[in-house]
Structure formats: C-alpha cells, structure tokens
Amino acid sequence: NDWLWNIFSPSKFVKSANLIWLCLSAVIYVAFPYEASFDRASVLDLEWICQRAAIHMTLVNGYYGFWHTTLYVWRLSKRKFNPDNQGPSKSQLFHNIWYTNLGTLQWTLWEVLFLHCYATQKIRYVSNAQLCSSWMELGNLWLWIWFVPLYRELHFYISHRFLHFGILYKYIHSLHHRNTDPEPFAGLAMHPIEHMYYMGCVAGLSLYIHASPFIMLWNGVHMLISPAASHSGWEDHYMSGQHHFIHHAKFECNYGTGGIPIDKWFGTYREKLGKTSESYQGQYKDDGSAGKEVRESVHSSNSSAADQKYLNGDISLRAIFPEKMDQIIYNLLNLIPLVVFGAALRRQRIMFSINDSVPSTSLLNDREIAIVGVIVSVGPIALAYMLGILYPDKKHFLWPFHKDSNLNLSFHAVMSVFIAILPVHHFIISVLSIEGSQNIPYHYLYG
C-alpha cells in the first residue's frame, strides 16, 4: 500500500515533480494575474488572447526544450529505454513539436473561455482577497492543490483507455503512438480531438467546484508539462516514466501513470518488457505472433517499422498529415463541430461578433446550447464509428477489449462518459449560456 502513503504524505508531494510544476503555476499566476485581466476576458479581447497564448507557448517550448536539450543534446542521462534508438529523427521531432504547439494553442482557448466564464460570473470563484482574509479558504486551496494530481491520474487512465478502443485509436490516438520510442515533445503530440478530451480534465474539476481560478491554472499547467519527462525515452533521471515507456512499446497495457495502481486493479499492468507479468490479463502476449497481431491491429502504420519509416529523415510537411484517405476524411469532418461551436460563440455575442445590436431573442436557447454541446463532445466519436462502418477493419470494433467481461466493459464505458465526455459537454454549455442560467452546472449545483 505504498501508493496510499505516496498520495497522502506531504513530504512525498514536496519531493515529487508536482512541487516544480506547482511553483511554475504560481509564478505565472503572480506575474500574469487573472483578476487584473477580467475586463478583457469578459469581451475576449484578441490582443489579450494572444498574450495568454505567448505565455503558454513559452512555458511549453521552454520546458519541453529543456528536457530535449539535456537528454538528447547534452546526453546527461546514460540509460536509454531503447538503446537501438538514440534520438528522434528531424521529421519525428518536427511532427511532435507541431502537434505539441497545436495542443498549447487549444489549451489557450480552454483557458480564455474559462476566464470569460469567471469574468461574467457564469462560474463564480474565490477571489484573491477572499483567500487572504480567510484561513478556511486557504485550507480549501491547499486541499484542491493536493487533489489535482490525484484527479489527473484517474482522468488520464479513464480517458486514455477510452481512446484505445479500436475505432477511436485508429482515427485519434494512433497519432500519439507514432512514437513507439518516445521523446519529450511526444508527450503532448496528440490529435486535436485527443487534446480536447485530455484537456477536459480541467473542466472535470473546475466546472463543479467553488475555488480560486488558480486551481484551474494549476490543473492546466500540470496537464501541459507533466508529459515531457514521462515521455523522455531515458530511464535514469528524476522524472523518468518507465511505466509509460512500456505502454508505447507494447500499446495495450499500462494505461495509467503508475502513481495509483489502477492498471493492476484491472489486469492491464506490465512491469517490464519480455515475459508477460502474471497480473497482466490483456490481449498482448509475448509469443511472437500475438505481439505482431497487436502492432498490426487497427491499421498497419501502427507497426514500429512503418512508424519509423513515416517519421524518418529530414523535416517534411508530410510528417504532420495523415497517410490514409479515411483519416483525411475524419479530420475534415471534424471541422463541423469546430464551425458549429464558432457559430454558436458568434450567435451568443461572445466571440467573432460583428453586430452587438442583435436582439437577445436571437440568442440560443438552453435546448439549442445543449445540442451544440453534444455535437462538440460526442460528434468526434460518432464520426469515428461512422467511418469505421464505411472503412471496416478486420479487428473487432471493441479491440483490444473485445474479450473483457460485460461488467468490465460497462464500468469503463460509464466512467468514460462521466470523466472524459461529460465535462467537455458541460464546458460548452457553461461558455454559451447566459449568466445565472440553471443550465450551467455550477449554478445547478450551487444556485
């Protein structure tokens, strides 16, 4: 039960990477205060949005660049997870930096829309003045600070495992797994749809609690930069993530981070390469044929050889685009939820508004807002399964969980809805609704 001690021990928190990430969050919060910019957040001033983007781009590229430089340029570590691959190709690095920065820009959108909700009182919050005048509020702040890493572990396991379902893996998560031997920038190199569900961890907490906006920022910074070291590809440094390295090598195991033994509880834990752990009950076996089967499942470019060929060589724009026609179609179709959300922001006079004199009767009603929420949060999943019918694979649509018990499948399906999908849906509703609407989860909970 060491994991329980690691969670509840203050000394473990202080000695972990969480302290570094918390300090970075605090520096950003003090240097670029939220409350001082609420006037600009209420109208979503474009110059202010660009400033927030610059802050996060600097943080992410500086932090990820630090790990890349120390490990792959200065070679300060000595034990590579995969000794046969001593570093990413230029094409792989370009691919990963591209998608990492796309994710950073998406996080900026999440952040500014959250701040818009705070500024317009769609979500009420604990102000800095209230924090400084109440020991109880300070105590609550520290409790939420401690809770964020715990919640992040739960959210990551559920949402990550959810995206390993065959069709969703094919069109969404396989982009991240082009990195069979990861490097730091691979950590946030995801399909934009995966970024959406991944960043839903911030909505999954801050939409439903009455707390300081700092908790939203702390959750966001934790989400943004924690993947760097856990995808470093080196085993002998302070923040190494061997647990996740094995996931990238084997694909169908170790869906969590290893801090909480969720993989052990559900039989998906592997402690090493080579002989399968007795606790592992998934479909990946080390008898040669099964390993080949897993790597070739869903679509052929999952194989290590294909990935290396696809991302090998010099910088090329080809590296950032999908290879297959159905993947291209999927990406184009996902412009529909984006356009719908953009049109809704304009209709509600939140963003892209040209004429502020539009009468309030033309605003979206609660039912229409809920429909937009469904289109954005569920649409990408529905589109993936629709294309899965049109472009069928040999594998079962539930692969690699097709042999799981009905109870296990049902449990993870329900958890995926509540932890991965519903927060995105509720976030869209919160942004588009008018102040005080009972349609907003915060007001429904707190009145």
Side-chain angles (χ1 to χ4, degrees):
N1 292 323
D2 288 346
W3 68 273
L4 280 172
W5 170 249
N6 291 336
I7 288 174
F8 291 105
S9 169
S11 64
K12 291 293 183 180
F13 184 97
V14 170
K15 294 176 183 178
S16 72
N18 286 312
L19 181 62
I20 297 174
W21 303 329
L22 179 62
C23 289
L24 288 171
S25 304
V27 168
I28 294 173
Y29 190 74
V30 172
F32 308 99
Y34 277 164
E35 291 185 26
S37 62
F38 275 177
D39 287 344
R40 305 178 78 179
S42 63
V43 295
L44 290 177
D45 178 72
L46 182 59
E47 182 182 355
W48 169 74
I49 293 173
C50 291
Q51 290 173 0
R52 298 307 306 181
I55 292 167
H56 297 304
M57 296 283 272
T58 302
L59 170 69
V60 168
N61 286 285
Y63 188 81
Y64 282 70
F66 164 81
W67 282 105
H68 178 81
T69 301
T70 55
L71 296 177
Y72 289 94
V73 179
W74 297 344
R75 299 280 172 171
L76 297 185
S77 284
K78 304 300 180 185
R79 194 170 72 245
K80 189 74 169 63
F81 177 71
N82 180 4
D84 297 330
N85 181 17
Q86 288 297 308
S89 67
K90 292 180 181 179
S91 182
Q92 181 183 3
L93 188 60
F94 173 64
H95 168 276
N96 292 340
I97 291 175
W98 171 265
Y99 282 104
T100 292
N101 281 280
L102 281 184
T104 307
L105 290 175
Q106 185 178 145
W107 160 245
T108 302
L109 179 62
W110 280 84
E111 182 196 44
V112 299
L113 290 177
F114 249 113
L115 294 180
H116 171 79
C117 289
Y118 288 135
T120 56
Q121 293 295 301
K122 294 178 182 180
I123 303 174
R124 296 193 177 93
Y125 62 94
V126 177
S127 68
N128 294 334
Q130 289 173 302
L131 281 177
C132 295
S133 62
S134 170
W135 285 105
M136 180 175 292
E137 291 295 353
L138 277 176
N140 288 337
L141 175 69
W142 281 108
L143 283 175
W144 288 122
I145 288 173
W146 163 82
F147 184 73
V148 162
L150 178 64
Y151 173 73
R152 285 266 298 114
E153 292 215 28
L154 175 64
H155 182 275
F156 180 74
Y157 173 83
I158 295 296
S159 61
H160 184 201
R161 179 177 169 126
F162 167 64
L163 291 175
H164 265 267
F165 276 97
I167 298 299
L168 301 182
Y169 181 91
K170 175 180 179 178
Y171 291 115
I172 303 173
H173 191 52
S174 61
L175 187 150
H176 181 70
H177 273 280
R178 290 172 182 171
N179 293 277
T180 53
D181 181 30
E183 56 82 32
F185 280 98
L188 203 61
M190 307 173 188
H191 192 287
I193 297 301
E194 180 171 0
H195 281 138
M196 181 180 73
Y197 292 119
Y198 177 66
M199 294 174 185
C201 67
V202 179
L205 191 60
S206 290
L207 280 183
Y208 310 112
I209 65 173
H210 182 69
S212 166
F214 176 74
I215 298 303
M216 183 271 290
L217 177 65
W218 159 228
N219 199 345
V221 169
H222 193 289
M223 171 270 302
L224 271 182
I225 65 178
S226 61
S230 63
H231 287 78
S232 68
W234 294 83
E235 297 181 320
D236 54 339
H237 63 78
Y238 173 50
M239 302 182 194
S240 181
Q242 292 97 328
H243 182 89
H244 199 66
F245 298 165
I246 295 173
H247 172 75
H248 274 264
K250 297 294 188 182
F251 292 89
E252 313 306 341
C253 62
N254 295 9
Y255 299 104
T257 63
I260 302 176
I262 308 178
D263 282 295
K264 289 184 178 179
W265 298 341
F266 290 102
T268 53
Y269 173 68
R270 290 178 63 100
E271 79 283 0
K272 61 182 180 180
L273 297 175
K275 187 177 180 180
T276 301
S277 166
E278 292 182 1
S279 66
Y280 180 74
Q281 300 171 13
Q283 300 306 308
Y284 193 103
K285 306 298 179 185
D286 283 319
D287 60 2
S289 60
K292 183 173 183 291
E293 182 183 22
V294 169
R295 287 188 179 276
E296 292 181 351
S297 67
V298 187
H299 70 102
S300 60
S301 66
N302 291 345
S303 68
S304 179
D307 283 323
Q308 293 303 318
K309 181 178 179 181
Y310 183 61
L311 295 179
N312 201 15
D314 292 331
I315 295 175
S316 171
L317 288 176
R318 176 177 174 270
I320 64 175
F321 293 109
E323 287 184 286
K324 296 190 173 184
M325 180 55 66
D326 57 329
Q327 293 173 316
I328 295 173
I329 294 172
Y330 179 75
N331 288 352
L332 291 174
L333 287 174
N334 271 291
L335 292 175
I336 296 173
L338 180 63
V339 170
V340 168
F341 183 48
L345 287 172
R346 180 177 178 179
R347 179 81 173 270
Q348 300 300 88
R349 302 201 295 267
I350 296 171
M351 217 172 180
F352 316 119
S353 181
I354 296 176
N355 184 4
D356 289 339
S357 64
V358 175
S360 60
T361 53
S362 69
L363 298 178
L364 298 174
N365 58 42
D366 287 351
R367 183 170 176 269
E368 291 169 330
I369 290 172
I371 291 173
V372 174
V374 170
I375 291 173
V376 175
S377 61
V378 182
I381 301 169
L383 290 172
Y385 277 94
M386 180 187 74
L387 281 177
I389 295 172
L390 297 175
Y391 295 87
D393 289 306
K394 296 179 181 179
K395 296 297 176 187
H396 194 283
F397 76 100
L398 292 177
W399 175 270
F401 309 113
H402 57 294
K403 294 185 179 180
D404 283 10
S405 67
N406 290 334
L407 179 61
N408 197 26
L409 282 171
S410 299
F411 172 79
H412 281 95
V414 171
M415 292 297 288
S416 296
V417 170
F418 279 97
I419 290 182
I421 300 173
L422 195 60
V424 177
H425 177 69
H426 281 165
F427 179 67
I428 300 300
I429 288 175
S430 299
V431 170
L432 295 177
S433 296
I434 62 174
E435 177 192 344
S437 170
Q438 289 299 305
N439 210 29
I440 299 175
Y442 178 91
H443 291 289
Y444 180 80
L445 292 171
Y446 297 98

